[in-house]
Amino acid sequence: MIRLSYKCAIAMSLLAAALPQSKAADVVMPVALASLQPGQWQLRSTTAGTPPKTLCLGDPRILLQLRHGALSCNRFIITNEASYAVVNYSCAGSGSGRTSVRVETPRVIQIESQGIADKSPFEISYEGRRVGGCPLTKQAIPR
């Protein structure tokens, strides 16, 4: 009986330790992304003929799920190094993906992502470059 209780206690401890990690992984910033400079970024696809995307980068985690936009997705960091991150994510009912980001400098990155979006597979690759500050809009101008 003691042996069974001991095994249960170990299993419960392991389960309890695992739960906070999975929730924390959803909000934790991968180390590589923390080094990126905020501002206006241009993402150029490595596929010929695809027009570049421009975005105002405040929270770099948006780069982790480019095909799923601002959807609320669960993220799990697979690799978390100073200049390289790999993240798996799942968006309930909307698909999933795996994204790798290689930071060459705080202003230049390489992004590769693949997964399922709109019930179809996707695979994308971008080179991202910071091109300046974010343009101010009338709402953003202090009065």
Side-chain angles (χ1 to χ4, degrees), residues 30-36 41 43 46 63-64 79 81-87 99-113 125-129:
V31 175
L33 295 184
S35 70
L36 297 181
W41 282 71
L43 304 178
T46 58
L63 298 171
L64 297 174
T79 304
E81 298 173 357
S83 62
Y84 184 70
V86 178
V87 175
T99 301
S100 66
V101 179
R102 183 170 42 93
V103 177
E104 295 178 4
T105 73
R107 301 170 62 98
V108 178
I109 58 174
Q110 302 294 325
I111 302 171
E112 294 181 355
S113 189
S125 296
Y126 290 104
E127 177 183 76
R129 291 185 178 271

Side-chain angles (χ1 to χ4, degrees), residues 6-143:
Y6 179 71
K7 287 181 180 179
C8 285
I10 290 175
M12 295 287 281
S13 296
L14 291 173
L15 181 60
L19 288 176
Q21 280 186 330
S22 63
K23 287 190 176 224
D26 191 36
V27 294
V28 170
M29 173 93 62
V31 175
L33 295 184
S35 70
L36 297 181
Q37 292 182 0
Q40 187 168 346
W41 282 71
Q42 187 173 69
L43 304 178
R44 291 192 179 272
S45 174
T46 58
T47 305
T50 304
K53 295 182 178 196
T54 302
L55 58 92
C56 184
L57 187 65
D59 184 349
R61 288 176 288 192
I62 195 166
L63 298 171
L64 297 174
Q65 56 187 67
L66 290 169
R67 281 298 302 268
H68 291 92
L71 290 176
S72 179
C73 303
N74 292 320
R75 296 185 198 127
F76 301 96
I77 299 173
I78 306 300
T79 304
N80 194 13
E81 298 173 357
S83 62
Y84 184 70
V86 178
V87 175
N88 282 1
Y89 65 91
S90 178
C91 310
S94 298
S96 61
R98 179 182 184 106
T99 301
S100 66
V101 179
R102 183 170 42 93
V103 177
E104 295 178 4
T105 73
R107 301 170 62 98
V108 178
I109 58 174
Q110 302 294 325
I111 302 171
E112 294 181 355
S113 189
Q114 62 183 9
I116 305 292
D118 301 321
K119 299 181 183 176
S120 298
F122 71 87
E123 184 173 4
I124 54 176
S125 296
Y126 290 104
E127 177 183 76
R129 291 185 178 271
R130 186 179 186 278
V131 293
C134 293
L136 294 177
T137 62
K138 288 183 181 180
Q139 291 104 2
I141 298 172
R143 295 177 194 217

